[in-house]
Amino acid sequence: LVRLRDRLARSGSPLGTRLLAVLSRDHLGEDDWDELEETLLLADVGAGPAAELIEALRTQVRVHGVKDAASVRAMLRAELVALVDPDLDRTLHTTPTVHEDGTKTPAVLLVVGVNGTGKTTTVGKLTRVLVAEGSTVVLGAADTFRAAAADQLTTWGARVGVETVRSFKDGADPAAVAFDTVRTARERGVDVVLVDTAGRLQNKAGLMDELGKITRVITKEAPLTEVLLVLDATTGQNGLNQARVFAEVAGVTGIVLTKLDGTAKGGIVVAVQRELGVPVKLVGLGEGPDDLAPFDAEGFVDGLLQ
Ligand code: GDP
């Protein structure tokens, strides 16, 4: 796993550059505070949180009589960390249940989200991490609407010796594929199942129907350990709208924020966690096999402020 802080720093965050430009001024006047707030808004932190942060910072500056840029910067860092790190459990649950008779119920992670956000890539990267940690894994290609998606997933799996359960019929029932995947994993005593789904956000009823059915058939075989929603960090407020819909239909337990490399829009972390009460658990930092990292609030903020 790459270190979030280093990777974000290397991508040269425009947010950090702008924030630091303002904070390096000798004296912060009304215009400077406005500019700071605007910078946070541009980064998709959201209007409420941005205003609160600026207010908290101004109060501290006033109360402590702080004037130098380094101190303001340290306060900003502390406020940002508090903002991106509310009291949410970021543990990614991938441990199977081992029964007294020695049989195993796999951990089942369902990966949902709109097409193109990076679901398949995320599943591929996560598979590598799990295999490297010594877990056995089976993948389910429940995105049956695009044959290419199943091919892509199969390729990711094959590279680390992991099997992908799929259908070769376009438009096959995704729930049937999901069921077969979990059944296969159970029969073989595999530790973790990752199920990739299609992201057709045609309408809420259709999505609810499809994900509802997938969830129901999976839980006949094993409880769902995680429902991970994949969001593209570059889509800003649109990502937040997607998150609302999926949270409503799929009982999301964690967010994977992809494409954080080279975007100043990471502020969506704040908005999504605040609005849904669901933690960002993983972040995507590129298209490569090792570009996945656990979310860590301090590293994230330091990356922004480099
Ligand atoms: P899906 O339709 O949700 O399964 O999306 P894919 O996994 O096929 O990814 C869509 C595109 O986004 C591909 O070109 C990926 O290589 C790219 N992608 C996925 N994750 C990341 C990331 O973290 N950073 C960048 N830069 N690209 C990513």
Side-chain angles (χ1 to χ4, degrees):
L1 287 183
V2 291
R3 289 187 60 219
L4 184 54
R5 179 184 331 231
D6 299 344
R7 184 56 74 88
L8 284 174
R10 240 178 293 146
S11 72
S13 150
L15 170 64
T17 311
R18 259 195 91 175
L19 285 175
L20 292 183
V22 180
L23 289 176
S24 62
R25 290 167 199 163
D26 290 340
H27 174 78
L28 291 177
E30 205 58 45
D31 286 351
D32 300 315
W33 288 113
D34 285 348
E35 196 177 334
L36 276 178
E37 188 167 342
E38 192 186 309
T39 306
L40 294 172
L41 287 175
L42 285 173
D44 284 333
V45 166
E52 283 167 34
L53 190 148
I54 295 299
E55 188 51 41
L57 213 55
R58 288 191 75 154
T59 305
Q60 285 196 50
V61 167
R62 202 167 48 237
V63 169
H64 301 294
V66 175
K67 292 211 171 55
D68 65 300
S71 306
V72 178
R73 189 185 160 190
M75 287 176 186
L76 173 68
R77 180 185 185 277
E79 291 291 339
L80 279 171
V81 169
L83 201 60
V84 298
D85 198 16
D87 196 15
L88 295 170
D89 179 11
R90 293 186 202 280
T91 316
L92 186 69
H93 299 281
T94 57
T95 312
T97 309
V98 180
H99 304 285
E100 274 178 21
D101 62 3
T103 58
K104 213 184 262 177
T105 302
V108 183
L109 286 75
L110 184 67
V111 179
V112 302
V114 169
N115 244 335
T117 49
K119 286 185 301 297
T120 306
T121 309
T122 298
V123 171
K125 293 172 184 170
L126 187 54
T127 304
R128 296 175 66 89
V129 173
L130 292 168
V131 168
E133 286 174 357
S135 295
T136 49
V137 181
V138 165
L139 302 178
D143 180 349
T144 56
F145 295 90
R146 272 192 320 131
D151 293 344
Q152 198 186 331
L153 193 67
T154 306
T155 304
W156 275 104
R159 279 193 212 131
V160 284
V162 163
E163 186 191 342
T164 300
V165 175
R166 62 177 293 185
S167 163
F168 286 92
K169 234 174 43 219
D170 259 3
D173 182 5
V177 174
F179 182 81
D180 285 349
T181 311
V182 183
R183 161 94 19 121
T184 301
R186 276 193 74 117
E187 283 170 359
R188 300 200 189 151
V190 163
D191 299 322
V192 190
V193 177
L194 301 176
V195 179
D196 188 20
T197 62
R200 297 175 317 145
L201 197 56
Q202 69 286 58
N203 61 60
K204 207 195 268 187
L207 184 76
M208 198 178 296
D209 216 36
E210 192 168 301
L211 288 178
K213 196 169 162 206
I214 291 176
T215 306
R216 276 196 304 282
V217 301
I218 287 177
T219 48
K220 278 186 193 155
E221 284 290 306
L224 260 180
T225 327
E226 295 269 4
V227 179
L228 297 176
L229 170 64
V230 178
L231 287 182
D232 177 339
T234 64
T235 58
Q237 289 300 310
N238 195 19
L240 189 58
N241 293 334
Q242 291 169 17
R244 285 191 192 108
V245 174
F246 278 95
E248 211 177 302
V249 305
V252 174
T253 59
I255 309 279
V256 181
L257 199 62
T258 59
K259 310 187 192 181
L260 259 185
D261 44 312
T263 176
K265 298 272 185 191
I268 193 76
V269 169
V270 175
V272 138
Q273 293 184 146
R274 191 178 266 222
E275 171 132 355
L276 305 181
V278 174
V280 174
K281 292 191 170 180
L282 297 168
V283 294
L285 299 163
E287 299 185 83
D290 298 320
D291 296 332
L292 184 75
F295 182 75
D296 128 59
E298 300 217 348
F300 177 75
V301 169
D302 285 342
L304 286 181
L305 292 179
Q306 297 260 352

